[in-house]
Amino acid sequence: MSNTSQKTHTVTLIPGDGIGPEVTDAVVRILEATGVRFNWERYAAGAEAFEKHQEYIPKDLYDSIERNKLALKGPVTTPIGGGFPSINVTLRKKFELYANFRPIKNLPGLETRYPGVDLVIIRENTEGEYVGLEHEVVPGVVESLKVITRKGSTRIAKFAFEYARKHKRKKIHAIHKANIMKMSDGLFLKCAREVAKGFPEITYGEHIIDNTCMQLVMNPYQYDMLLLENLYGDIVSDLCAAFVGGLGLVPGANIGDDAAIFEAVHGSAPDIAGKDIANPTALLQSSILMLRHIDEAAAADRVQTALENLYKERKSLTRDVGGTAGTKAFADAMIAALESPVTASK
Ligand code: NAI
């Protein structure tokens, strides 16, 4: 196939649990059909890994990401109110994957609450409330620390503005609650303002988080890029996923200076796990971001075109987007499209 490199890409693969193995299997099959050569290093994480290795993140998994600098990850269930710490948060911190990149864009042909949305969410991925510093001061009183640093806030603001410049985006809004958290959110804003000065061609604005949620639902088109702290970014990305058809669609990438982990915004969806009904589109779109990251742009374009055609023709879509196909049938349709003469050798 033309324009496909002859390089073999070694990728750490974390299928995860819940719907993770189903959507990961679908995406791996589709990626293999592109002709790009992959060598997958597969690892369990979370409860499944603990059962096998008595470790939630096995050392071999850490070593694999350290070596490959690249991972494709399905969702991993995190126990609520106790149990082991989030695998996602741990990996993001360990490899300093400080930028969580989440593009929110409609797929053609899919009727949604808002047509023509094209938003980019940049979420700080290592700080805020997610540092996991919680303790009981006295019985009945718990403190949870939110950590915001100049270094962390400046580097995520730079990431956002540099992305905007490179991709010709027009506007960035920093989202905050600095009217209440004057010091922490205040520092986040201060750093964003300083960085903004170096990018005069990009309009910089600030909105308070609660107002932002209302503004987004009233008129998402007023925003171009959102720059958020960790917790706000987590919440707002699920909200924005609803604009374009839900969590089955929205991709994500965790990016650091040395490594990147590609994963969907959604979680392990235990309510639909094991039923062959999960939509693999979100992880597939994350894998398109991965293909671009590893300089396989031609393959990324072909997968993107095949995906858009599938949605335009409303062929083999899963039930969350109004279809009747299962996860496997969706993957089969994507593979058939990639192997058809129209998309095979573009
Ligand atoms: P969730 O994202 O798993 O599910 C929310 C809703 O969206 C459910 O109704 C689910 O059926 C639906 N949904 C999600 N992905 C879908 C897909 N691909 N196709 C069709 N429908 C889909 O959120 P929830 O239920 O709050 O979290 C479940 C678990 O996942 C928790 O343990 C949470 O900690 C974990 N989680 C893991 C993440 C990760 O590994 N990156 C991210 C978010 C949550």
Side-chain angles (χ1 to χ4, degrees), residues 19 73 75-78 88 247-248 263 265-272 278-279 320:
I19 59 169
K73 180 183 163 297
V76 179
T77 303
T78 309
N88 315 310
L247 283 168
E263 66 178 344
V265 169
H266 66 72
S268 56
D271 54 334
I272 57 165
N279 189 348
D320 57 310

Side-chain angles (χ1 to χ4, degrees), residues 52-122:
K52 289 187 190 150
H53 314 284
Q54 283 68 59
E55 282 173 307
Y56 293 108
I57 304 180
K59 181 174 180 305
D60 288 354
L61 167 52
Y62 279 127
D63 291 348
S64 172
I65 300 177
E66 190 80 58
R67 252 191 336 270
N68 302 330
K69 320 276 182 223
L70 184 66
L72 183 65
K73 180 183 163 297
V76 179
T77 303
T78 309
I80 291 174
F84 61 87
S86 160
I87 301 303
N88 315 310
V89 172
T90 309
L91 288 174
R92 290 166 189 167
K93 274 199 278 191
K94 163 87 182 160
F95 294 102
E96 283 218 50
L97 308 174
Y98 60 87
N100 195 326
F101 169 73
R102 295 177 160 182
I104 311 276
K105 201 170 175 187
N106 293 81
L107 276 167
L110 183 64
E111 221 173 276
T112 58
R113 287 174 197 275
Y114 299 85
V117 172
D118 181 7
L119 260 174
V120 172
I121 294 180
I122 306 287

Side-chain angles (χ1 to χ4, degrees), residues 33-226:
T34 62
V36 175
R37 294 183 193 167
F38 290 102
N39 170 31
W40 304 102
E41 293 183 356
R42 200 175 288 256
Y43 292 95
E48 189 196 348
F50 193 79
E51 240 170 64
K52 289 187 190 150
H53 314 284
Q54 283 68 59
E55 282 173 307
Y56 293 108
I57 304 180
K59 181 174 180 305
D60 288 354
L61 167 52
Y62 279 127
D63 291 348
S64 172
I65 300 177
E66 190 80 58
R67 252 191 336 270
N68 302 330
K69 320 276 182 223
L70 184 66
L72 183 65
K73 180 183 163 297
V76 179
T77 303
T78 309
I80 291 174
F84 61 87
S86 160
I87 301 303
N88 315 310
V89 172
T90 309
L91 288 174
R92 290 166 189 167
K93 274 199 278 191
K94 163 87 182 160
F95 294 102
E96 283 218 50
L97 308 174
Y98 60 87
N100 195 326
F101 169 73
R102 295 177 160 182
I104 311 276
K105 201 170 175 187
N106 293 81
L107 276 167
L110 183 64
E111 221 173 276
T112 58
R113 287 174 197 275
Y114 299 85
V117 172
D118 181 7
L119 260 174
V120 172
I121 294 180
I122 306 287
R123 163 187 171 192
E124 202 292 320
N125 223 12
T126 55
E127 300 195 337
E129 291 84 349
Y130 289 56
V131 290
L133 295 174
E134 291 190 320
H135 62 274
E136 191 175 53
V137 186
V138 290
V141 181
V142 168
E143 274 183 358
S144 176
L145 299 184
K146 163 169 170 166
V147 177
I148 299 292
T149 67
R150 173 175 291 282
K151 180 185 165 202
S153 304
T154 302
R155 73 181 172 182
I156 193 65
K158 273 193 184 145
F159 181 94
F161 277 93
E162 278 162 10
Y163 178 89
R165 178 169 280 170
K166 188 165 173 205
H167 296 273
K168 308 220 175 326
R169 309 287 306 204
K170 303 261 179 294
K171 264 191 297 192
I172 295 182
H173 279 84
I175 308 304
H176 67 94
K177 190 77 187 174
N179 49 333
I180 305 297
M181 279 158 282
K182 295 178 194 290
M183 290 187 72
S184 53
D185 286 22
L187 178 59
F188 186 80
L189 283 186
K190 201 168 170 219
C191 297
R193 283 176 203 152
E194 278 164 17
V195 172
K197 284 184 201 148
F199 297 81
E201 78 278 22
I202 296 155
T203 306
Y204 172 70
E206 294 171 355
H207 277 175
I208 294 177
I209 178 73
D210 33 354
N211 174 38
T212 304
C213 291
M214 189 274 293
Q215 295 288 347
L216 275 165
V217 175
M218 295 289 278
N219 174 18
Y221 309 106
Q222 65 185 295
Y223 294 111
D224 185 19
M225 285 182 64
L226 301 178

